[in-house]
Amino acid sequence: MTAPLVPVAHGSRDPRSAATVRGLVERVRVQAPGIEVYESFLDLSEPRVTDVLRRLYAQGHRAAVVVPLLLGSAFHARVDLPALVTEVKAECPGFDVRVSEVLGVDPVLERVALARLSGAGLGPGDGVVVSAVGSSNAGANSAVADLAVRWEGELGLPVTEAFASAAQPDVPAAVARLRARGVRRIVVASWFLAPGLLPDRIAVHAREADRAVFVAEPLGTDPRVAAAVLHRYADVVTRIPL
């Protein structure tokens, strides 16, 4: 029996977020019809990952692969999720639950995020803000800063990072950085998986700084994101004993 795939997202009070995650998981199912796939969430949305795993165990599954739908490796990936998996395994003897790497700063996802800028008509005088959630984990923030450096080289335009919470620069500070470099129009790229409260906060602050700002959509349900989820699953499932 092939181990089920359990993508797990953070969860949000904004229903658009959970709807996007469910749409992405449906894309995964279409791309991998031979695998059982069950969406789940860490918090704020249903079903919770612990409930999904317990249900799979009760149905007779003895292994599962959890793929974190997270774009950074910070507290949720390093502490929250491992603790929840440990809790389930303590209750379910013999249940082999493996957790893959987060989606993270994957080149495929970078291409999706850059494609979201296609409607901006980038040109001379423009500058790009790569917007992300922000974290108390310096490494997660540095990964976004590195992303901005790569994009600046690729686009040939000024690029800087901005965070919605927990880290600096925020959007006003990022816009000030770009203005100091001669940028006339602000374009905001989205390093978010789904719409929600934090991407909305980014958009509000960006429009306060520049009424003509272009704000890109999150990565969403793009088939390339679904393929990245399946790649994370494939990296793990082959290590589970039959």
Side-chain angles (χ1 to χ4, degrees):
M1 181 184 297
T2 302
L5 164 57
V6 183
V8 56
H10 179 273
S12 171
R13 293 183 178 86
D14 188 322
R16 295 173 299 164
S17 178
T20 300
V21 170
R22 292 188 178 99
L24 173 60
V25 170
E26 186 56 36
R27 290 268 194 187
V28 173
R29 292 190 184 104
V30 170
Q31 291 187 21
I35 301 171
E36 295 180 60
V37 186
Y38 302 90
E39 70 267 19
S40 68
F41 301 89
L42 290 172
D43 197 9
L44 301 174
S45 302
E46 297 290 341
R48 303 291 177 86
V49 64
T50 48
D51 294 334
V52 171
L53 292 173
R54 290 185 185 107
R55 184 168 67 247
L56 290 174
Y57 181 77
Q59 292 171 351
H61 290 280
R62 290 299 174 263
V65 176
V66 176
V67 175
L69 303 180
L70 302 171
L71 299 181
S73 182
F75 186 83
H76 298 303
R78 295 172 182 268
V79 179
D80 278 352
L81 183 55
L84 294 173
V85 169
T86 297
E87 173 187 319
V88 170
K89 291 172 73 172
E91 298 173 9
C92 303
F95 195 23
D96 190 355
V97 181
R98 305 289 179 104
V99 181
S100 79
E101 294 293 327
V102 300
L103 294 181
V105 183
D106 185 298
V108 171
L109 303 187
E110 288 192 46
R111 305 319 305 172
V112 177
L114 282 168
R116 294 286 188 266
L117 299 178
S118 60
L122 291 172
D126 292 343
V128 177
V129 174
V130 182
S131 64
V133 61
S135 171
S136 59
N137 182 284
N141 298 329
S142 293
V144 179
D146 292 344
L147 178 66
V149 170
R150 286 196 297 278
W151 285 16
E152 179 158 325
E154 180 165 348
L155 297 173
L157 297 170
V159 181
T160 190
E161 70 278 11
F163 301 104
S165 64
Q168 289 292 323
D170 58 11
V171 169
V175 170
R177 280 186 184 180
L178 293 177
R179 295 293 192 211
R181 298 177 63 185
V183 166
R184 296 190 297 274
R185 185 178 72 126
I186 303 299
V187 173
V188 178
S190 179
W191 195 245
F192 289 92
L193 184 67
L197 302 178
L198 293 182
D200 284 355
R201 181 186 300 172
I202 291 281
V204 167
H205 289 168
R207 292 186 176 111
E208 288 172 349
D210 184 347
R211 292 183 181 179
V213 69
F214 176 92
V215 180
E217 294 296 318
L219 303 181
T221 60
D222 190 285
R224 289 168 289 183
V225 182
V229 174
L230 286 169
H231 288 154
R232 296 295 181 277
Y233 172 82
D235 287 343
V236 173
V237 73
T238 55
R239 298 199 296 269
I240 298 176
L242 296 177

